[in-house]
Amino acid sequence: MLASALLLSATGLGAVPAAAAPAANDTTVTTRYGQVRGTAGERADDYLGIPYAAPPVGGLRWKPPAAPARWTGVRDAATPGNPCMQTDSSTPWGDLAGPGTPSEDCLYLNVHTPAERSLRARPVMVWIHGGGFTIGSGTFYDGGELAARGDVVVVTLNYRLGAFGYLAHPGLAGESADGISGNYGLLDQQAALRWVRQNIAAFGGDAGNVTVFGESAGGGSVCQHLVSPRATGLFDRAIAQSGCGFPLPTRESQQRTGATWAGDLGCADVACLRGKPAGELLTASTSPTARWVPNVDGRVVPLQIADALESGRFHRVPVLQGTTADEGRLTVASTYDLAGRQLTAAGYPVAVRALYGERADAILARYPLSDHGSPAEALGAILTDSQFACLQSRTARLMAGHTRSYQYEFADRGAMDHLDLPVGFPLGAPHGSEIRYVFGGVSGTPAQNALASTMLDYWTNFAHTGIPYATDAPRWNQYPKVQVLAPEAITASTTFPEEHMCDLWLPEGVPAPR
């Protein structure tokens, strides 16, 4: 249930020479691999389905991404590339795979530029999608409005998912000079960031001002790149939405899990696995014992995120991060109401004990039903605090000792009302509900529209300057203050850890008095 809620060295880089943005009405751009022709729009131009790496098929399955092949002529960039291999998914927002048929040949990205030309290179924002590392695509998110209103170049990308992106196995480690395996999806993301450094100037972007941002598994990926030596020099600012600080399995445990999974497929070696059809692997990847996430391999991810941040072993770029006020309610809704059942008062302690075992009594004492409107809201508060709010509060605090650290809480309690989901309790501001506010996709009440406009400005001005600000909006102070983003008012909180019971969820408890 909890999993359903989530989500190469940079040395020697050579960028293509700085180039002016395409002339008006001309959407042909020259990359180092060949020319592409995009689609001109009234507010933004779109370049879709650009390969940033070779198709990871055949002998390249479970290998680090290789450079894409060059092409001759002008490549049509009007159609997105395939989403990566994934099962069909039903979410409140629709099919996160977006258009196209899932395939192993999926390492494509999209570039969205303002239609209005500029003589000055624009900041670049590179989006890493969420989906628990098993579903989703870059194309699902249209970056055109964000690009136009924020005066930025937006890049969205696909990366290998599930078993194709995160299988760790002793045989794969044996093929690696570093003895590692399993972080292929992260390496894909880094390859896309290298492509941006090398090519984005041709689209009018500033290769020296790149912000990497993502939500859920994408936010987790952002923080993994923050601690990855192989991401050195690939970005200049970072935004992690609902995803920083998730604990990861070790290399050894993930390889044991991978070997067991392969054995269940009848494979004792990597050659057998590479000989399996993609569809068979995808079906097998839904095994409940498999966990398709990055691992702490000592190289791509050298340490647990919290340990790396505490020791200062991360890229010292400005970081903006945060969570939604009711992260866990979407998990509760998906597990109960949307599955045709209801969490009752009698079932509430049973659910907590199933999740937290011997800690359940202490947790139930801190989250009594009398403090919440319904059993679903009580369980949602537990999941919010334990899985998101307190982990992100800790990473914001640890980063603040070394760099500019900004934290937010998105608190529009009506953010998902427009979906009119058949849920018997208020969804509030659940996991993922802030994304359309960032991308410029809100058409709600005047107060919601104003909040969305301010958030888009906060995010894009952070990309421009490293400081989140918006005209006629409250100042955003660094941690320990937390910017509470609500349509009623934007305020600064100084009691976030206490409000979310972080003394219960973090080993070090509530931070020392400020």
Side-chain angles (χ1 to χ4, degrees), residues 239 318-320 404-407 454-455 457-463 465-470 474-478 483:
I239 302 174
V319 181
L320 186 158
R404 291 204 303 277
S405 177
Y406 301 91
Q407 187 183 352
T454 297
M455 287 178 61
D457 286 347
Y458 276 144
W459 261 244
T460 55
N461 283 326
F462 180 77
T465 67
I467 298 172
Y469 68 90
R475 176 176 175 173
W476 191 327
N477 294 292
Q478 295 183 48
Q483 199 83 336

Side-chain angles (χ1 to χ4, degrees), residues 259-420:
T260 299
W261 179 78
D264 291 342
L265 271 167
C267 286
D269 55 36
V270 172
C272 172
L273 287 171
R274 288 203 175 106
K276 293 286 186 182
E280 183 178 345
L281 295 173
L282 181 63
T283 299
S285 72
T286 61
S287 165
T289 61
R291 185 183 177 198
W292 307 117
V293 296
N295 70 87
V296 180
D297 62 8
R299 299 287 184 168
V300 181
V301 183
L303 296 167
Q304 291 287 354
I305 303 300
D307 294 339
L309 298 180
E310 188 164 31
S311 62
R313 295 174 62 180
F314 69 101
H315 304 302
R316 309 294 181 82
V317 301
V319 181
L320 186 158
Q321 61 181 294
T323 50
T324 69
D326 306 297
E327 294 274 3
R329 291 193 191 183
L330 185 62
T331 301
V332 178
S334 300
T335 306
Y336 292 95
D337 296 55
L338 298 179
R341 55 201 184 105
Q342 190 175 28
L343 180 63
T344 64
Y348 170 61
V350 175
V352 175
R353 289 193 172 91
L355 288 169
Y356 297 99
E358 62 185 19
R359 299 193 62 203
D361 287 341
I363 294 167
L364 289 166
R366 296 289 293 275
Y367 294 85
L369 281 177
S370 57
D371 285 356
H372 301 275
S374 67
E377 291 166 77
L379 183 58
I382 292 174
L383 298 180
T384 295
D385 297 349
S386 64
Q387 296 297 310
F388 294 95
C390 295
L391 292 177
Q392 199 111 32
S393 180
R394 176 172 60 176
T395 56
R397 175 171 56 84
L398 294 174
M399 290 180 192
H402 305 279
T403 190
R404 291 204 303 277
S405 177
Y406 301 91
Q407 187 183 352
Y408 70 86
E409 180 174 60
F410 175 75
D412 182 358
R413 262 36 195 261
M416 290 183 62
D417 289 352
H418 68 289
L419 293 176
D420 196 26

Side-chain angles (χ1 to χ4, degrees), residues 92-482:
W93 300 277
D95 185 355
L96 297 184
T101 302
S103 169
E104 283 191 273
D105 177 5
C106 65
L107 300 186
Y108 298 94
L109 55 75
N110 313 300
V111 180
H112 305 273
T113 69
E116 183 178 346
R117 302 309 179 197
S118 173
L119 296 177
R120 178 181 298 178
R122 291 177 163 109
V124 183
M125 299 184 72
V126 180
W127 173 253
I128 302 177
H129 71 78
F133 299 103
T134 59
I135 61 173
S137 73
T139 309
F140 182 83
Y141 305 88
D142 184 355
E145 187 68 10
L146 178 61
R149 289 174 55 185
D151 195 34
V152 295
V153 174
V154 177
V155 178
T156 66
L157 61 102
N158 300 339
Y159 57 93
R160 280 175 282 182
L161 302 168
F164 300 91
Y166 298 99
L167 172 66
H169 188 279
L172 294 171
E175 296 178 352
S176 164
D178 297 317
I180 61 176
S181 64
N183 285 327
Y184 307 107
L186 288 181
L187 292 174
D188 292 342
Q189 296 166 15
Q190 292 177 1
L193 287 166
R194 275 195 301 280
W195 185 97
V196 168
R197 284 291 202 207
Q198 296 166 352
N199 295 280
I200 207 64
F203 296 84
D206 183 354
N209 184 2
V210 174
T211 297
V212 60
F213 71 131
E215 185 269 347
S216 194
S221 297
V222 167
C223 287
Q224 288 143 25
H225 296 311
L226 276 168
V227 308
S228 176
R230 300 191 179 199
T232 300
L234 294 183
F235 55 92
D236 308 279
R237 325 194 196 288
I239 302 174
Q241 300 172 210
S242 302
C244 194
F246 297 138
L248 299 175
T250 65
R251 171 178 59 187
E252 293 75 19
S253 67
Q254 199 72 337
Q255 286 186 5
R256 287 194 299 271
T257 300
T260 299
W261 179 78
D264 291 342
L265 271 167
C267 286
D269 55 36
V270 172
C272 172
L273 287 171
R274 288 203 175 106
K276 293 286 186 182
E280 183 178 345
L281 295 173
L282 181 63
T283 299
S285 72
T286 61
S287 165
T289 61
R291 185 183 177 198
W292 307 117
V293 296
N295 70 87
V296 180
D297 62 8
R299 299 287 184 168
V300 181
V301 183
L303 296 167
Q304 291 287 354
I305 303 300
D307 294 339
L309 298 180
E310 188 164 31
S311 62
R313 295 174 62 180
F314 69 101
H315 304 302
R316 309 294 181 82
V317 301
V319 181
L320 186 158
Q321 61 181 294
T323 50
T324 69
D326 306 297
E327 294 274 3
R329 291 193 191 183
L330 185 62
T331 301
V332 178
S334 300
T335 306
Y336 292 95
D337 296 55
L338 298 179
R341 55 201 184 105
Q342 190 175 28
L343 180 63
T344 64
Y348 170 61
V350 175
V352 175
R353 289 193 172 91
L355 288 169
Y356 297 99
E358 62 185 19
R359 299 193 62 203
D361 287 341
I363 294 167
L364 289 166
R366 296 289 293 275
Y367 294 85
L369 281 177
S370 57
D371 285 356
H372 301 275
S374 67
E377 291 166 77
L379 183 58
I382 292 174
L383 298 180
T384 295
D385 297 349
S386 64
Q387 296 297 310
F388 294 95
C390 295
L391 292 177
Q392 199 111 32
S393 180
R394 176 172 60 176
T395 56
R397 175 171 56 84
L398 294 174
M399 290 180 192
H402 305 279
T403 190
R404 291 204 303 277
S405 177
Y406 301 91
Q407 187 183 352
Y408 70 86
E409 180 174 60
F410 175 75
D412 182 358
R413 262 36 195 261
M416 290 183 62
D417 289 352
H418 68 289
L419 293 176
D420 196 26
L421 296 176
V423 176
F425 63 95
L427 273 176
H431 191 64
S433 58
E434 89 290 3
I435 297 175
R436 69 192 188 108
Y437 287 66
V438 172
F439 274 81
V442 172
S443 179
T445 67
Q448 287 178 318
N449 296 342
L451 174 63
S453 180
T454 297
M455 287 178 61
L456 188 147
D457 286 347
Y458 276 144
W459 261 244
T460 55
N461 283 326
F462 180 77
H464 278 268
T465 67
I467 298 172
Y469 68 90
T471 304
D472 298 325
R475 176 176 175 173
W476 191 327
N477 294 292
Q478 295 183 48
Y479 183 90
K481 290 190 175 180
V482 177

